[in-house]
Amino acid sequence: MENMKIFIEKGLNKLPQCKIIREEVFIKEQKFENEFDDIDTYAYHQLILIDDKPAATARIFAEENGVYHLGRVCVMKDLRGKNLGKTLLYNMESYAKMLGGKEMHLSAQTRAMDFYKKCGYTVYGEEFYDEYCPHINMKKIL
């Protein structure tokens, strides 16, 4: 995609545009209430800008034994369907691998499960609810 810029930084405060994207997608569009947490201070956040405008974001953080957790994956509504989600995933997988990661875990909204399956993730465990929304745990060997 033309005019794409990608940044990865530790700590949400270093990429304030990520907060704007998450507020738009998760709070305004999807009506989540508990979007921001302490993990934001130490997670690695990715920001994609298109024409210098906030387009997409995701975060990863280390768990244990080489496992990284991917979350807060979101793309602005008017830019969906342009492979930005895949770009987020592959960049974060590569970054986790560079940091010593062996496996990536995530909690997908069940409606997004097929997207993650196409990207090589497999389901484990039972469906659960985060706020009002059904989720499923998924993982991928890096």
Side-chain angles (χ1 to χ4, degrees):
M1 185 172 270
E2 290 181 33
N3 301 315
M4 179 188 295
K5 295 177 186 167
I6 298 171
F7 305 89
I8 297 177
E9 294 285 346
K10 188 172 189 174
L12 184 61
N13 61 337
K14 292 185 182 156
L15 293 173
Q17 301 98 323
C18 294
K19 190 171 182 180
I20 292 167
I21 298 166
R22 287 169 53 184
E23 285 172 343
E24 188 63 36
V25 174
F26 292 125
I27 296 174
K28 291 179 184 172
E29 182 184 332
Q30 297 183 4
K31 309 296 185 213
F32 281 94
E33 294 176 8
N34 302 309
E35 174 53 25
F36 301 99
D37 57 27
D38 292 341
I39 295 169
D40 284 325
T41 61
Y42 60 85
Y44 291 92
H45 299 264
Q46 179 182 179
L47 169 67
I48 297 178
L49 298 177
I50 304 291
D51 296 326
D52 293 321
K53 293 178 187 158
T57 188
R59 75 178 186 186
I60 58 169
F61 57 92
E63 291 187 317
E64 55 187 34
N65 301 322
V67 173
Y68 273 76
H69 190 92
L70 173 70
R72 304 309 202 260
V73 177
C74 58
V75 176
M76 295 294 268
K77 195 171 192 173
D78 61 330
L79 293 169
R80 293 180 193 153
K82 300 181 185 308
N83 290 317
L84 293 176
K86 284 182 184 175
T87 300
L88 287 169
L89 259 58
Y90 295 144
N91 289 342
M92 287 312 228
E93 290 166 3
S94 295
Y95 204 80
K97 215 170 173 178
M98 182 191 76
L99 295 170
K102 307 284 183 231
E103 204 169 300
M104 187 73 82
H105 289 205
L106 59 87
S107 299
Q109 292 182 16
T110 53
R111 63 186 172 151
M113 183 173 52
D114 288 340
F115 163 73
Y116 291 107
K117 281 183 177 178
K118 287 177 189 168
C119 294
Y121 287 80
T122 57
V123 170
Y124 71 94
E126 299 296 318
E127 186 178 281
F128 64 95
Y129 280 79
D130 181 355
E131 292 190 38
Y132 65 89
C133 184
H135 283 67
I136 192 76
N137 286 318
M138 302 183 82
K139 63 184 175 180
K140 179 180 182 178
I141 302 297
L142 297 177

